[in-house]
């Protein structure tokens, strides 16, 4: 199915919006922007904005975070049209994650369209996040697999994560995983650990190509970080390159 056909099937508003943006901008690229200053964060977002469907953040790595940053980020979101995914990887009991999601310095629920969580604590984590996020029209991804070497999220853990998602279809929009996990098209699959030039970093990250991820493994969205903004890179040229390779792999998959 095409992204636009998929978009019409989602009941969750965020999942629908994501695929509408993908189709409209013709990009299945999400940027993982792991820089540590506001200046770099905003500059790169503005440069790469036209080529991405989603901006993935780790808001707690910014050394100079303030509320103004969120206002500036929202302005760039309106300018370029992308969803914001805060990669918070919640991993605690429902009551705790509820506060972590909505309170503290970052007030993630106020600006992040998408968040993610580990399934490790059981269904309560989804219920806690849902209490906050569902009324705000947000969506949750469950980490069913990880790209890092030696990840324990495999086999029965992955299967149980898929079952958990199916029990919470109103709020869980999909998975962080290396491949499409279900034959039906009810969930979004987003895949990190994507790179064209290197196969690993020095800390356990493992990279696969966009073609492998989208065409061979049936994922929907490639998440690329250092492949785009790494040292000495022309971020616009790299973003275009990943967008093109990712989109060509999708067109090949649907037989276009
Ligand atoms: P990079 O392309 O620079 O390796 O960045 C990958 C990004 O995806 C990082 O932000 C990391 O936190 C995230 N990520 C990952 O690499 N593997 C996973 O399994 C899950 C992730 O969220």
């Amino acid at each position: 199915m095409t992204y636009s056909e998929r978009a019409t099937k989602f009941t969750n508003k965020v999942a629908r919006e994501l695929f509408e943006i993908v189709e409209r901008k013709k990009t299945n690229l999400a940027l993982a922007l792991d820089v540590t200053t506001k200046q770099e964060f905003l500059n790169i977002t503005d440069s790469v904005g036209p080529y991405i469907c989603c901006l993935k953040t780790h808001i707690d790595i910014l050394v100079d975070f303030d509320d103004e940053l969120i206002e500036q980020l929202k302005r760039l979101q309106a300018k370029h049209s992308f969803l914001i995914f805060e990669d918070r990887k919640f991993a605690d009991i429902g009551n705790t994650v509820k506060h972590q999601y909505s309170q503290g310095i970052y007030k993630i629920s106020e600006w992040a369209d998408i968040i993610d969580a580990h399934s490790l604590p059981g269904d309560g984590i989804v219920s806690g996040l849902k209490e906050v996020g569902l009324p705000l029209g947000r969506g949750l991804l469950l980490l069913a697999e990880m790209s890092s070497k030696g990840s324990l999220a495999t086999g029965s853990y992955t299967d149980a994560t898929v079952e958990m998602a199916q029990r919470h279809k109103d709020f869980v929009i999909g998975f962080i995983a290396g491949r499409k996990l279900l034959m039906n098209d009810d969930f979004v699959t987003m895949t990190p650990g994507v790179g064209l030039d290197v196969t690993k970093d020095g800390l356990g990250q493992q990279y696969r190509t966009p073609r492998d991820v989208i065409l061979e493994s049936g994922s929907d969205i490639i998440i690329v970080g250092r492949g785009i903004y790494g040292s000495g890179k022309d971020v616009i040229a790299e973003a275009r390159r990943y967008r093109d390779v990712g989109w060509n792999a999708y067109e090949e998959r649907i037989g276009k």
Side-chain angles (χ1 to χ4, degrees):
M1 271 207 276
T2 63
Y3 288 114
S4 53
E5 283 164 350
R6 297 271 304 280
T8 61
K9 285 192 68 185
F10 291 119
T11 45
N12 182 284
K13 174 176 141 291
V14 178
R16 215 166 43 233
E17 264 174 37
L18 176 65
F19 277 32
E20 282 166 4
I21 293 172
V22 167
E23 189 73 58
R24 192 167 63 246
K25 292 174 74 175
K26 305 230 174 303
T27 176
N28 50 25
L29 171 65
L31 174 67
L33 190 48
D34 297 345
V35 295
T36 56
T37 66
K38 279 199 300 184
Q39 192 70 51
E40 276 177 292
F41 181 86
L42 293 168
N43 286 346
I44 296 175
T45 300
D46 200 15
S47 301
V48 170
Y51 314 109
I52 60 173
C53 59
C54 182
L55 179 73
K56 190 179 81 59
T57 59
H58 281 300
I59 206 71
D60 59 355
I61 67 175
L62 289 166
V63 294
D64 49 358
F65 172 86
D66 57 16
D67 291 340
E68 204 198 330
L69 173 79
I70 297 301
E71 291 314 311
Q72 290 164 314
L73 175 58
K74 282 183 181 163
R75 278 200 287 278
L76 289 176
Q77 178 177 34
K79 177 177 172 188
H80 296 296
S81 181
F82 52 75
L83 293 188
I84 302 172
F85 164 19
E86 165 57 21
D87 187 4
R88 173 63 179 75
K89 295 190 181 67
F90 294 100
D92 214 319
I93 61 167
N95 186 60
T96 302
V97 296
K98 208 170 82 177
H99 298 311
Q100 290 173 324
Y101 185 16
S102 60
Q103 306 295 319
I105 301 169
Y106 303 114
K107 298 184 179 57
I108 294 166
S109 60
E110 290 183 9
W111 51 269
D113 303 291
I114 301 170
I115 48 160
D116 58 352
H118 289 290
S119 52
L120 186 75
D123 285 65
I125 189 167
V126 180
S127 305
L129 294 169
K130 196 196 297 196
E131 270 189 24
V132 174
L134 197 61
L136 295 169
R138 309 301 192 199
L140 171 68
L141 297 168
L142 288 178
L143 285 129
E145 293 178 329
M146 291 195 73
S147 61
S148 40
K149 192 166 166 43
S151 163
L152 304 180
T154 59
S156 58
Y157 182 92
T158 301
D159 295 343
T161 305
V162 171
E163 285 162 23
M164 190 182 289
Q166 287 173 310
R167 288 192 292 273
H168 300 274
K169 265 182 151 174
D170 49 350
F171 188 51
V172 177
I173 62 168
F175 305 102
I176 294 292
R179 63 206 154 99
K180 184 182 170 104
L181 293 168
L182 283 169
M183 287 317 286
N184 68 41
D185 281 305
D186 296 352
F187 291 103
V188 179
T189 309
M190 297 183 69
T191 304
V194 175
L196 284 165
D197 305 318
V198 289
T199 57
K200 56 186 180 176
D201 70 3
L203 294 170
Q205 176 68 295
Q206 307 175 114
Y207 293 110
R208 295 157 61 207
T209 64
R211 193 183 152 82
D212 179 7
V213 166
I214 299 287
L215 179 66
E216 312 291 339
S217 302
S219 180
D220 300 310
I221 307 285
I222 51 170
I223 299 176
V224 183
R226 287 164 287 178
I228 291 175
Y229 70 80
S231 74
K233 301 221 170 185
D234 173 344
V235 292
I236 294 178
E238 292 298 337
R240 285 188 168 144
R241 179 173 169 231
Y242 279 95
R243 175 202 58 182
D244 290 346
V245 178
W247 195 257
N248 290 342
Y250 159 70
E251 288 200 326
E252 201 174 322
R253 191 175 85 197
I254 60 165
K256 223 175 159 187

